[in-house]
Amino acid sequence: MVAFLRLALRRVAMMPVMILGIALLVFVVLQFSPVDPAYNALGDSASPEARAAFAEAQGLNDPLPVRYFAFLADLVQGDLGVTVPPSQPVVDRIATAFPLTLQLTLLGLALAIVLALVFGVTSAVYRDRWPDQVFRVLSMAGIALPSFWLGVLLIQQFALNMQLLPTGGYVNPADSFGGWLESMALPAIALALPVAASLARLIRTSMVTELDRDYIRTARGSGLPPLMIVRSALRNALVTPLTVLGVKVGYMLSGAVVIEAIFDLPGMGKLILEGVTGGDVGLVQGTVLTIAIAFLVVNVVVDLLYLLVNPRIRTV
């Protein structure tokens, strides 16, 4: 337990350093934007004098390191600036949009994990038989399908042809939980299936390896129930898939941005598109930074889970 706490504290202690690096990367990249913040805030009809006064007041004429440290000081205070007129705090816009993106990501992740476990374990238990062959073909097809293309197909089939689910839009779960599920079903499926297919292949490979180990043969020879044997093998087999789960969650966070645009969901994807099309560098900077930090936090959490399920790494 002491070793686990020591490694956990080491992972958490690295987070501020990595956040500083992320903030530096996002800040520097967006400095190359061709958009002039002064004209974007004041309008194209602004005079050169008004533009110069705005740039001086906002510190746009300061050297890049000075602006970066000013940006960090505001970031520590939770200030990401304001959007272009009509001016609104970027933090308030993100606070409204991020929960929806998080809902979509978590719902898609839960669906992906359930499907991956069902497909992967079934394929391993019935390896080289017809269930294994069917699930392997399905998983290969799922990996090959891009989420955005799958989203369009789902809209065409289930929303337009069958009219079972809405084509887009968002219903707050506080207003109607059933309506929320209907509005999130197709986006979650589009987001989950490629990840589920990839995880299923990893789980199958790990389960096949575990089922061939000596302790499983001993358990079978002792007459233990098949379900108990599969459960014991699965516990050890999940160590390897868990190592890539953090990357998959990051993929789902970034993929949710695209899916939201397809299904017209007012999440982080809509904010990024709004910022890009409107030339709002501050809005783009805030949303990208939030998604990057969320990705970092998820990876740290997955690292801690990996330490829990794999005690051998605690000695490293």
Side-chain angles (χ1 to χ4, degrees):
M1 189 63 181
V2 175
F4 169 74
L5 291 176
R6 183 172 63 250
L7 289 173
L9 289 174
R10 189 184 305 170
R11 298 288 198 279
V12 174
M14 286 297 296
M15 286 187 63
V17 178
M18 291 186 283
I19 290 175
L20 285 176
I22 291 172
L24 176 62
L25 179 62
V26 172
F27 178 81
V28 171
V29 168
L30 288 178
Q31 296 310 303
F32 293 98
S33 170
V35 177
D36 188 329
Y39 283 119
N40 206 33
L42 301 176
D44 294 335
S45 60
S47 65
E49 292 79 12
R51 188 266 171 205
F54 179 89
E56 184 65 27
Q58 299 297 320
L60 300 179
N61 298 327
D62 294 337
L64 188 63
V66 174
R67 282 184 284 154
Y68 173 65
F69 284 110
F71 166 70
L72 284 182
D74 291 338
L75 181 62
V76 170
Q77 300 175 36
D79 183 7
L80 293 173
V82 296
T83 62
V84 296
S87 297
Q88 292 178 292
V90 173
V91 172
D92 292 347
R93 298 293 306 276
I94 292 175
T96 302
F98 186 72
L100 189 149
T101 301
L102 187 61
Q103 291 172 25
L104 177 58
T105 302
L106 293 178
L107 189 60
L109 178 63
L111 181 59
I113 290 175
V114 171
L115 292 177
L117 286 172
V118 172
F119 285 9
V121 174
T122 303
S123 293
V125 172
Y126 296 97
R127 62 176 140 171
D128 297 330
R129 286 181 273 179
W130 71 265
D132 183 26
Q133 301 297 335
V134 170
F135 286 143
R136 288 170 70 180
V137 171
L138 290 177
S139 63
M140 292 177 64
I143 294 173
L145 290 177
S147 291
F148 64 88
W149 186 68
L150 182 58
V152 173
L153 291 182
L154 292 173
I155 291 175
Q156 179 68 36
Q157 181 63 32
F158 293 99
L160 298 179
N161 292 345
M162 302 177 66
Q163 297 184 354
L164 294 177
L165 295 167
T167 58
Y170 176 71
V171 177
N172 194 308
D175 298 331
S176 172
F177 184 75
W180 174 77
L181 280 178
E182 289 182 354
S183 66
M184 300 292 281
L186 293 183
I189 293 172
L191 192 62
L193 286 184
V195 175
S198 178
L199 285 176
R201 290 178 63 85
L202 287 174
I203 292 174
R204 179 197 179 276
T205 302
S206 298
M207 277 292 292
V208 167
T209 301
E210 289 298 320
L211 290 174
D212 285 339
R213 294 191 184 276
D214 291 338
Y215 77 94
I216 294 296
R217 296 193 186 98
T218 302
R220 286 173 178 158
S222 301
L224 290 178
L227 183 60
M228 185 178 297
I229 295 174
V230 171
R231 187 186 305 165
S232 299
L234 180 60
R235 182 180 304 172
N236 295 324
L238 288 179
V239 172
T240 300
L242 190 58
T243 60
V244 300
L245 185 60
V247 177
K248 295 299 181 183
V249 176
Y251 163 81
M252 297 186 81
L253 270 172
S254 59
V257 171
V258 179
I259 294 297
E260 288 169 0
I262 296 174
F263 288 92
D264 191 28
L265 297 174
M268 298 293 281
K270 184 176 181 179
L271 284 191
I272 291 178
L273 288 177
E274 180 182 328
V276 171
T277 56
D280 193 337
V281 176
L283 185 58
V284 174
Q285 182 173 261
T287 51
V288 171
L289 184 60
T290 301
I291 292 174
I293 292 176
F295 177 77
L296 171 63
V297 171
V298 166
N299 276 272
V300 171
V301 171
V302 172
D303 283 346
L304 297 180
L305 291 176
Y306 185 55
L307 293 176
L308 283 175
V309 301
N310 189 13
R312 289 172 295 181
I313 201 173
R314 302 178 197 175
T315 59
V316 178

